Amino acid sequence: MQLRGRKHVATVGGAVAVALLAACSSSSSSSSSSTGATSAPAATSSSAAAASGTVNGAGSTFQLTFQQAATSAYKSVASGVTVNYDGVGSGSGRADLYAGTVNYAGSDSTIPSTEQAKLNGRKVLYFPVLIGPIDVAYNLPGISNLKLTPTLISQIFQAKITTWNDPAIKAVNPGANLPSTPITLAVRSDSSGTTQNFTLFLQDAVGSAWALGSSSTVKWPSTAHAASGNGGVATTIKSTTGAIGYVDYSTAQASNLTGASVENKAGKFVAPSTTAASAAAAGVTVKPDLTFHAVWASTDPTAYPITYQSWDIVYATQPNATDVSLLKGYLGFLLGQQGQALLAPLHYAPLPSNIDSMATAQLSQITS
């Protein structure tokens, strides 16, 4: 299987990933916590060590940094296996899965009804691999503690509020010296799970006051600056004074962006963090197919309200036993202690232990 060449392919052999693997290996004997991974089944681990071949994945740019670390770290578990991951956005990753050019698709949202026909009746399995915040990042020199309510975010991204010193923003930030700088919206140009989750937050939080709907692609105001991938949005924000956009927390941290504190369901303003994301995900309802969402879902006063989840999606029935073994091995690594321990240093949150256990048990459903 050939992976279509693109600029965001995860590489194998990064020093950071090797260091992370060493760190997580040293703690692999520790017991599971409420947000810790369970150990991968021994059969999966042994089969991974003996496996040989290539696994190709594509999709979510949320997952990209994690996949880059994991594909490198996996080499010390399964030296005969090469894993490639192309960070092209959730929609493109799913399209590659339907086209048969990848073994798995990274997606921050479930398969929409408009794409169901592309499965041709084939069953898919959702494997959640990580949790994380969506950062409402902004570029306002001298303003480091911006607070935003869901209503303000909704009005800003619908271009109803167009300058930073708007009275509505000043009312929530009375001590801030907000400038008259025009607001520049930084949004995604590609089909994106980040967009899907961000707009789902707005739809759930403010109801009919959000008129743009929730989807992986949205018709933004004509003044918005669209860019590809979380990295593209981060670059737009960083290079544009007055910009505001939505970007995953890991990318925001790597780009040294400043994120707003967002008012949650409990009426508390919470800054994005992995701890706040874990609080948001702790009480979610998980469906039998392991789909769920952690957006605007928690009344915990410490929860950050724009928290996403990301899955690796595979076909339940694979063309041969080799592909079954390769997928089980790599997915088992992502869900096991070594894989989940890579997340926190990269500014992601590990799965709650109950969700991780369900995902690990589901590996047995991948067959040929």
Side-chain angles (χ1 to χ4, degrees):
M1 178 181 291
Q2 293 295 315
L3 183 67
R4 281 190 270 173
R6 300 190 185 92
K7 64 182 179 179
H8 296 303
V9 178
T11 57
V12 176
V16 172
V18 173
L20 287 169
L21 178 63
C24 70
S25 297
S26 67
S27 60
S28 62
S29 62
S30 61
S31 59
S32 300
S33 66
S34 60
T35 56
T38 56
S39 297
T44 301
S45 300
S46 61
S47 61
S52 178
T54 301
V55 180
N56 291 320
S60 163
T61 59
F62 257 140
Q63 289 190 35
L64 181 59
T65 305
F66 174 49
Q67 291 282 350
Q68 287 172 330
T71 55
S72 181
Y74 190 56
K75 270 294 184 182
S76 62
V77 175
S79 59
V81 178
T82 297
V83 183
N84 301 307
Y85 184 81
D86 211 351
V88 293
S90 297
S92 293
R94 294 193 302 268
D96 285 348
L97 182 69
Y98 308 147
T101 60
V102 296
N103 303 96
Y104 71 95
S107 182
D108 309 322
S109 57
T110 58
I111 296 172
S113 58
T114 54
E115 295 179 13
Q116 288 293 328
K118 298 178 182 179
L119 293 172
N120 293 318
R122 299 178 68 181
K123 179 183 177 181
V124 295
L125 299 172
Y126 290 89
F127 288 91
V129 291
L130 55 83
I131 306 290
I134 295 175
D135 203 327
V136 183
Y138 62 94
N139 182 345
L140 283 177
I143 307 295
S144 58
N145 297 300
L146 186 70
K147 295 179 180 178
L148 294 174
T149 65
T151 296
L152 283 175
I153 297 171
S154 168
Q155 292 175 333
I156 289 169
F157 279 87
Q158 292 179 98
K160 293 182 178 180
I161 292 177
T162 58
T163 60
W164 281 107
N165 65 347
D166 186 281
I169 302 178
K170 292 174 71 175
V172 178
N173 299 272
N177 185 23
L178 292 166
S180 59
T181 308
I183 294 174
T184 299
L185 299 179
V187 300
R188 290 286 288 272
S189 61
D190 52 330
S191 179
S192 159
T194 314
T195 300
Q196 177 104 36
N197 284 287
F198 179 68
T199 54
L200 178 62
F201 156 71
L202 291 169
Q203 181 175 273
D204 286 358
V206 304
S208 60
W210 175 251
L212 303 187
S214 177
S215 181
S216 59
T217 57
V218 169
K219 187 175 182 180
W220 297 106
S222 60
T223 54
H225 290 220
S228 179
N230 279 290
V233 174
T235 298
T236 299
I237 298 168
K238 191 165 186 175
S239 63
T240 309
T241 300
I244 185 171
Y246 56 94
V247 62
D248 77 280
Y249 181 65
S250 178
T251 299
Q253 290 293 296
S255 302
N256 293 315
L257 297 179
T258 302
S261 293
V262 179
E263 186 181 35
N264 64 17
K265 264 189 173 182
K268 303 295 184 182
F269 287 93
V270 178
S273 70
T274 56
T275 301
S278 293
V284 299
T285 300
V286 183
K287 296 179 181 178
D289 64 356
L290 303 192
T291 61
F292 60 94
H293 77 76
V295 172
W296 198 247
S298 176
T299 57
D300 185 330
T302 69
Y304 182 72
I306 323 176
T307 300
Y308 73 93
Q309 60 296 308
S310 198
W311 296 274
D312 286 339
I313 305 174
V314 306
Y315 286 116
T317 302
Q318 295 295 315
N320 54 66
T322 298
D323 284 359
V324 171
S325 177
L326 290 170
L327 279 170
K328 283 185 175 181
Y330 184 59
L331 292 174
F333 174 79
L334 297 182
L335 295 166
Q337 288 180 346
Q338 288 184 323
Q340 290 290 292
L342 296 172
L343 292 167
L346 299 172
H347 304 291
Y348 299 105
L351 295 172
S353 59
N354 64 313
I355 298 177
D356 186 87
S357 295
M358 288 187 283
T360 301
Q362 186 178 247
L363 289 169
S364 63
Q365 295 185 35
I366 304 175
T367 60
S368 60

